[in-house]
Amino acid sequence: MIIFKKPDDISAFLEKKNLQGLSTGFVPTMGALHTGHIYLLQECRRENDCSIVSIFVNPTQFNNKEDFEKYPITVEQDIYMLEASGCDVLFLPGRNEIYPPGYSAEYYELGRMETILEGEFRPGHYQGVCQVVDRLLDIIKPSKMYLGLKDYQQCIVLSRMATSKSIPVLLRLCETVREPDGLAKSSRNMRLSPAARETAAYIYQVLNNIKHSFGKVNQQELIRSGIAMLQDQGFQVDYLSIADAKTLNPATEKQPASELVVLIAATIGGVRLIDNLLLG
Ligand code: AMP
């Protein structure tokens, strides 16, 4: 695996690959890698001649300073995992490489996506996500980019950003990798105490309850009982939404399960977790 820190160096290296007609697949991450990230890399390796992973904890997407400061950094272990998993190229830039002096942030028109669900609870988050991914795509210019459906709203936002800027990249959205008890793998899970870690699995249980009861119980009741179950376990619930899978607007009573997704954001033991499940 070759490690690059400077944008000009990785751009020059990848331009040669492009000129040779080789396909390049890109997995952007913030490090603290787990098997969810490695699954994205495996998909990327399967479909491309050259796989590229980036690790950059992007300060502009954190609306909460403490969350940024507490974000786990495990670079040495990450490098070991990537190497063992057959990654070809790691891009490991510093803050000045991504946001050099004189960089001025673009404003991304994200419409309602910016004010609902994660957008509502994390003001400015998606502007930051678009900034960093736009910048990374400009440096790496991959044929395909691999994103996890775990961050469902992020997939929609980035797909809109790429389309609106006519960025020639194909997005590949990959299934969520879970722990045996259903908890979605997340870099944040390592901050959970043993007790909170055990309780955290209730999020997936609630998602599944809603999936299995959908159509038998009315939607408002499903939402109400889902929130109550999480609160009973000690979660502070930001939202539990049954939404249109394309627009994330609240589902209408007439919409079939095949068009819908359930999304949850909730905090347990001081750690905010998000997860979702397609109902179809
Ligand atoms: P992060 O490092 O958390 O910003 O995530 C980098 C990428 O990995 C994003 O596209 C995430 O959606 C994806 N990802 C994170 N957790 C998982 C998971 N459990 N399963 C699949 N993909 C994931």
Side-chain angles (χ1 to χ4, degrees):
M1 181 171 76
I2 310 176
I3 303 179
F4 290 98
K5 296 197 167 181
K6 302 281 175 216
D8 286 351
D9 295 346
I10 190 169
S11 292
F13 176 85
L14 292 173
E15 203 177 314
K16 277 192 214 138
K17 299 270 173 208
N18 286 331
L19 289 173
Q20 288 164 11
L22 300 176
S23 61
T24 50
F26 173 47
V27 183
T29 82
M30 297 206 297
L33 301 181
H34 49 67
T35 50
H37 298 114
I38 298 302
Y39 173 59
L40 265 54
L41 170 61
Q42 281 162 353
E43 290 296 283
C44 174
R45 288 188 65 218
R46 205 165 55 77
E47 297 181 355
N48 298 279
D49 300 308
C50 176
S51 57
I52 304 125
V53 172
S54 68
I55 296 180
F56 177 64
V57 184
N58 174 36
T60 70
Q61 73 187 66
F62 286 83
N63 52 309
N64 178 331
K65 193 166 168 262
E66 197 188 329
D67 193 23
F68 174 60
E69 282 163 2
K70 281 192 186 162
Y71 203 83
I73 311 272
T74 59
V75 180
E76 271 179 33
Q77 194 185 311
D78 294 347
I79 292 174
Y80 178 79
M81 268 176 97
L82 291 173
E83 198 133 36
S85 308
C87 177
D88 296 309
V89 176
L90 168 61
F91 184 40
L92 195 58
R95 190 175 180 150
N96 274 346
E97 274 77 52
I98 296 297
Y99 303 118
Y103 167 86
S104 73
E106 191 174 319
Y107 176 76
Y108 299 87
E109 189 49 68
L110 301 174
R112 278 188 76 251
M113 276 301 147
E114 205 161 15
T115 58
I116 58 170
L117 305 171
E118 286 303 281
E120 179 186 347
F121 286 90
R122 303 187 66 188
H125 171 63
Y126 286 127
Q127 288 295 323
V129 169
C130 286
Q131 270 170 21
V132 72
V133 173
D134 193 7
R135 181 86 179 100
L136 289 167
L137 288 175
D138 190 46
I139 295 166
I140 291 168
K141 297 188 171 50
S143 332
K144 293 184 186 169
M145 175 165 69
Y146 293 76
L147 300 172
L149 282 166
K150 150 108 177 14
D151 297 283
Y152 193 90
Q153 193 172 359
Q154 174 170 280
C155 292
I156 297 182
V157 164
L158 290 176
S159 149
R160 287 189 181 180
M161 193 269 286
T163 306
S164 72
K165 293 198 69 177
S166 304
I167 300 174
V169 63
L170 191 80
L171 298 198
R172 291 275 290 103
L173 309 181
C174 305
E175 293 286 310
T176 301
V177 176
R178 300 179 179 282
E179 300 282 359
D181 65 1
L183 176 66
K185 296 261 185 182
S186 166
S187 309
R188 287 190 163 85
N189 293 354
M190 62 176 79
R191 284 173 43 205
L192 292 166
S193 67
R197 164 64 192 85
E198 206 170 302
T199 311
Y202 274 92
I203 294 181
Y204 187 59
Q205 207 168 308
V206 168
L207 290 170
N208 262 311
N209 287 351
I210 293 179
K211 182 166 180 156
H212 293 121
S213 307
F214 189 82
K216 297 174 205 139
V217 181
N218 103 23
Q219 282 184 30
Q220 289 318 310
E221 179 49 28
L222 287 176
I223 293 172
R224 197 204 56 73
S225 60
I227 291 175
M229 180 170 171
L230 290 171
Q231 287 173 337
D232 284 351
Q233 294 299 326
F235 286 91
Q236 184 205 312
V237 181
D238 282 351
Y239 58 80
L240 188 168
S241 172
I242 303 179
D244 182 288
K246 290 204 174 93
T247 63
L248 297 187
N249 288 332
T252 63
E253 284 292 341
K254 285 190 193 138
Q255 277 188 287
S258 59
E259 292 178 6
L260 303 177
V261 60
V262 195
L263 307 108
I264 292 178
T267 300
I268 185 82
V271 181
R272 187 173 183 276
L273 302 171
I274 60 169
D275 200 354
N276 67 82
L277 197 62
L278 287 162
L279 289 186

